[in-house]
């Protein structure tokens, strides 16, 4: 069975500082990994995904994530946080088949303080 | 990218009534759609997989008679919450994968259901 763990419920960072939102995964085969962001009362917005290839994936709004197979991690990063980045972030995984649902982590609330 | 819409975006209904939520893939066909439920400050939990032309597949613990799913066409899936109760109040989100092996899943904007 697939699973995703986001160990932090809340991450606080000062504006302009780098941010990291952690995610580890567990799958039986090769993982397809995703990060989504959710603003209050809104649906999910896709940030980035890892399918294969370079371990460092660049996505929307200046976010990037590094796939680390040995540590089974896919941490989300941004070099310089903005107040507008404050939101709920979800890591998700699915298997190689396209018609399978995503399995989500519990989410991490990011708060960027001016 | 592909677009998935949901209607209504929010709905308030009285206890005991039924509510239908629509999920549409606007510019692609989706033989499969997924329905998720999100309680406040919690993650998305898969409720069921909607399959065009066949019965939906429900996750363990989800009452199929209460949450009726109909995938009547390649662009429309509906979720009907029957005899709604306050505990059914939640944020319901659908998603649809595009076709092909390396598909992308697109999420609807969600429907906020409040049962009074």
């Amino acid at each position: 069975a697939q699973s995703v763990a986001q160990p932090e419920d809340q991450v606080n960072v000062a504006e302009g500082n780098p941010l990291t939102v952690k995610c580890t995964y567990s799958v039986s085969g090769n993982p397809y990994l995703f990060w989504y962001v959710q603003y209050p009362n809104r649906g999910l917005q896709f940030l980035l995904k890892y399918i294969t290839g370079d371990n460092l994936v660049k996505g929307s709004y200046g976010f990037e994530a590094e796939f680390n197979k040995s540590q089974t991690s896919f941490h989300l990063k941004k070099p310089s946080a903005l107040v507008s980045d404050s939101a709920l972030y979800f890591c998700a995984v699915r298997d190689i088949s396209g018609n399978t649902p995503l399995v989500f982590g519990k989410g991490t609330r990011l708060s960027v303080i001016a | 990218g592909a677009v998935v819409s949901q209607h209504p975006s929010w709905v308030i209904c009285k206890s005991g009534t039924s509510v239908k939520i629509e999920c549409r893939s606007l510019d692609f066909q989706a033989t499969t759609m997924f329905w998720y439920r999100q309680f406040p400050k919690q993650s998305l939990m898969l409720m069921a997989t909607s399959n065009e032309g066949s019965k939906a597949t429900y996750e363990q613990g989800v009452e199929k008679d209460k949450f009726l799913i109909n995938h009547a066409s390649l662009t429309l899936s509906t979720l009907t919450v029957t005899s709604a109760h306050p505990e059914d109040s939640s944020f319901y989100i659908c998603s649809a994968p595009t076709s092909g092996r390396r598909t992308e899943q697109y999420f609807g904007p969600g429907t906020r259901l409040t049962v009074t």
Side-chain angles (χ1 to χ4, degrees):
Chain A
Q2 305 160 74
S3 66
V4 172
Q6 292 180 244
E8 304 154 317
D9 291 334
Q10 174 92 31
V11 170
N12 299 318
V13 64
E15 187 175 30
N17 283 1
L19 69 87
T20 298
V21 183
K22 296 180 180 178
C23 172
T24 58
Y25 66 90
S26 175
V27 297
S28 56
N30 292 324
Y32 283 9
L33 295 158
F34 302 79
W35 275 103
Y36 289 86
V37 60
Q38 185 181 36
Y39 295 96
N41 294 313
R42 300 285 295 275
L44 298 180
Q45 294 181 33
F46 170 79
L47 283 179
L48 51 80
K49 66 181 177 182
Y50 172 82
I51 304 297
T52 186
D54 291 340
N55 290 341
L56 185 63
V57 179
K58 294 188 181 296
S60 306
Y61 313 120
F63 284 92
E64 58 188 30
E66 186 169 10
F67 171 67
N68 188 317
K69 188 172 184 178
S70 63
Q71 298 184 2
T72 62
S73 67
F74 190 56
H75 301 331
L76 181 69
K77 300 181 180 183
K78 186 172 182 180
S80 179
L82 300 173
V83 173
S84 57
D85 292 331
S86 299
L88 188 58
Y89 290 80
F90 290 100
C91 182
V93 66
R94 68 166 172 85
D95 67 22
I96 195 170
S97 173
N99 283 346
T100 55
L102 292 171
V103 175
F104 287 88
K106 64 179 181 179
T108 298
R109 186 163 298 282
L110 172 67
S111 180
V112 182
I113 304 163
Chain B
V3 177
V4 174
S5 70
Q6 277 185 246
H7 177 80
S9 56
W10 59 271
V11 57
I12 301 173
C13 70
K14 292 185 177 181
S15 186
T17 61
S18 295
V19 175
K20 179 184 285 187
I21 303 171
E22 294 185 348
C23 177
R24 292 181 185 273
S25 56
L26 296 185
D27 50 0
F28 66 101
Q29 294 181 333
T31 57
T32 300
M33 292 184 178
F34 304 107
W35 286 96
Y36 296 85
R37 183 174 181 176
Q38 185 182 27
F39 289 107
K41 299 183 180 180
Q42 294 189 28
S43 187
L44 282 77
M45 300 300 296
L46 180 67
M47 297 176 64
T49 301
S50 174
N51 303 299
E52 189 270 336
S54 64
K55 292 182 179 180
T57 305
Y58 290 82
E59 295 301 299
Q60 188 173 7
V62 178
E63 299 177 59
K64 58 183 67 177
D65 293 332
K66 182 170 185 60
F67 298 99
L68 301 179
I69 290 174
N70 185 2
H71 198 145
S73 76
L74 289 172
T75 59
L76 173 65
S77 175
T78 60
L79 168 67
T80 301
V81 183
T82 63
S83 186
H85 291 285
E87 56 266 31
D88 298 325
S89 299
S90 189
F91 195 52
Y92 293 87
I93 303 176
C94 70
S95 76
T98 54
S99 60
R101 183 178 181 184
R102 293 187 174 184
T103 66
E104 184 60 69
Q105 286 198 21
Y106 293 90
F107 285 82
T111 297
R112 171 75 59 194
L113 170 63
T114 301
V115 184
T116 60

